[in-house]
Structures are given as structure tokens and as C-alpha cells.
Amino acid sequence: MSRILTAVLTLFCSPVAHALVPPDYQEPPSDFTAEIEAGFQLNTGNTESSSFNGRTKLVYDTDATRQEGTIKAYFAADDEKTTSEKYDLQLQSSYKFYSGYVFGRGDFTWDKFGSYTQVSTISGGYGFDAISNSSTKLSLEVGPGYRYNLPIATDTIPNPEANKDVILRTAAKFEQKLQEYTSLNADLTSEVGEDNNTLTLDMSYKNTLFQDWAFKIGVNIKYTQVVPEGSKQTDTITTFNLLYTFQ
């Protein structure tokens, strides 16, 4: 009797289970997304070397707000000494409404061999999506901010004083899906101040290899109008990374 009852329950439950969970069922998208990448880099400008870099990006995106944080690390050395050591931290909190969003942002850089060893920028303002569809997205941002720059020490100025400046920050963030498995991103940021101006272009090309893994080529170019004596105005970092995305 028990065997007959078990067989009946098995036959009854199997179609019910298939009806409740169809074979093509997928989990609903999550509000949380993370990217982790690491790989090889080439440096030109104030440093000439090649070595390791890593990046982690966390995004929590809901209907009302978007929280975003990015950490980058660059390290390079030749046969004799360390030639590059740089860390970037970017934080942005946005509150959405019908015509766009308002945001608060912090950008912090520690660069042992850069023209400025410490750069901290706090800014806020307004942003909106000029283009937003399934394949293309363009976001524009503008707002005031405050920047702190500490120049690198030189032989003529061994103890430099930090520069503090009120700035106007403008940014354009572009995302383009080229094909099903490839995409292009480009962020252009301008900071205009009374004492100094900067322009930063951050571009990347991503090609999905399989599932959540992708190969990514990135180029970061930063131009600083006023730099300490002996430093170059333009720094370029080119990266070749393996990227993993999960959500």
C-alpha cells in the first residue's frame, strides 16, 4: 500500500512542479550589481612601466536611488624599484525624480609618483539621461565642487603646500552596446577651477567570453593644466583585464 501511495504522489507532484517552475524560468534581476577585474597595464607619462592593476565596482540601483562605489589599484615596478603606485576611490549617491537626478559625489586619489600625490574632490549637482534605450545611454551631469591637490615634492620645493580650489564639474557618461556580447563605455569629466583645470577621459571596450566572464580593454587619459616643475601634464593608463560580473 505504501508503495502504491508513493507512486501516486510522485506522478501527481511531477507535473505540478513543472507547472509551478517552467523549464525556462529565470531569477528576476537584482538591484545589486558588482564587477571585479584584474590584469595587465601599460603606463606612459610621469611613469614608464608595466605591471598589475585591479578594479572593483559596486552598484545598488533602485527606482528611487542609485548608490555606486568604485575602487581602483595600480602597481608597477621594474628590476630596481617600484615605479607606480596609485589608488582611486569614487563614490556617488543619486536621488532620482521624473526629469533626472540630483547627486553627491566624492573622488579620492593617492598617487605616489603622480604630479599630485593626493587629489580629493567633493561635488554635487544635477544629472539627466539625454539618451536611454536598450542599446545606447548618455548621461550628462553638472554641478559645483571643492578640490584639494597636494603636489609631489621636488628638489626646489621639498615641502609643497596643498592647493584648494572651488570648481565646476561637468561629466558625460556614454554606454553603447555594439553587439550582443560587446559594449563600449566612455566617461568624459571636466573640472574647471580658478587655479587649475583638468580633463579626464575613461574609455573601455568589453567583450563577453562566456556567461559572466569578459575581456576588457581600458584607457584612462588625464590632462592637468598646471603641474609641478618636472612633471608632465598628461598621464595615460592602458589596461588589459579579465572581468567578472555578478548580480
Side-chain angles (χ1 to χ4, degrees):
M1 184 66 182
S2 61
R3 292 181 179 179
I4 296 175
L5 182 60
T6 301
V8 171
L9 290 174
T10 301
L11 292 174
F12 177 76
C13 292
S14 296
V16 172
H18 282 86
L20 293 176
V21 184
D24 59 347
Y25 172 79
Q26 296 182 354
E27 291 289 338
S30 171
D31 294 334
F32 176 77
T33 304
E35 294 181 350
I36 299 176
E37 64 180 83
F40 178 73
Q41 76 183 52
L42 296 174
N43 285 14
T44 61
N46 288 299
T47 56
E48 298 283 348
S49 58
S50 60
S51 195
F52 172 82
N53 79 93
R55 170 182 170 273
T56 299
K57 181 178 180 179
L58 307 176
V59 178
Y60 183 70
D61 194 359
T62 66
D63 293 336
T65 63
R66 177 183 174 92
Q67 317 297 330
E68 182 176 337
T70 303
I71 301 174
K72 302 177 183 179
Y74 306 93
F75 179 83
D78 55 25
D79 294 337
E80 298 179 356
K81 61 183 183 303
T82 300
T83 57
S84 176
E85 186 176 351
K86 179 181 178 182
Y87 306 95
D88 289 333
L89 174 62
Q90 301 167 348
L91 303 171
Q92 180 162 328
S93 178
S94 303
Y95 177 78
K96 305 175 185 178
F97 51 95
Y98 70 95
S99 63
Y101 58 92
V102 292
F103 68 90
R105 182 179 177 89
D107 293 87
F108 309 95
T109 298
W110 298 268
D111 190 353
K112 185 176 180 180
F113 298 93
S115 56
Y116 291 92
T117 57
Q118 294 183 33
V119 180
S120 301
T121 304
I122 304 295
S123 61
Y126 171 76
F128 68 97
D129 293 334
I131 303 174
S132 183
N133 55 51
S134 59
S135 60
T136 306
K137 185 175 180 180
L138 174 63
S139 300
L140 304 177
E141 297 179 352
V142 62
Y146 174 82
R147 182 177 57 207
Y148 170 94
N149 284 350
L150 180 63
I152 191 171
T154 62
D155 293 337
T156 56
I157 308 178
N159 297 305
E161 293 185 1
N163 173 261
K164 303 172 184 179
D165 203 2
V166 176
I167 64 166
L168 175 66
R169 177 184 176 273
T170 57
K173 302 179 180 180
F174 177 74
E175 301 177 17
Q176 177 66 52
K177 187 175 182 180
L178 303 176
Q179 297 178 353
E180 182 178 0
Y181 299 107
T182 60
S183 61
L184 176 69
N185 285 36
D187 294 349
L188 182 63
T189 304
S190 170
E191 295 180 3
V192 178
E194 182 179 357
D195 299 328
N196 205 349
N197 303 318
T198 65
L199 185 65
T200 304
L201 175 62
D202 194 356
M203 295 183 62
S204 64
Y205 170 82
K206 183 171 67 173
N207 184 16
T208 301
L209 301 176
F210 52 90
Q211 293 184 344
D212 299 324
W213 292 92
F215 175 71
K216 179 181 174 183
I217 301 175
V219 178
N220 182 279
I221 304 172
K222 183 174 182 180
Y223 171 81
T224 305
Q225 185 176 16
V226 180
V227 295
E229 182 182 356
S231 298
K232 296 182 179 180
Q233 292 178 304
T234 303
D235 277 305
T236 303
I237 299 177
T238 304
T239 56
F240 305 89
N241 289 355
L242 188 63
L243 180 145
Y244 178 75
T245 302
F246 61 91
Q247 57 184 12

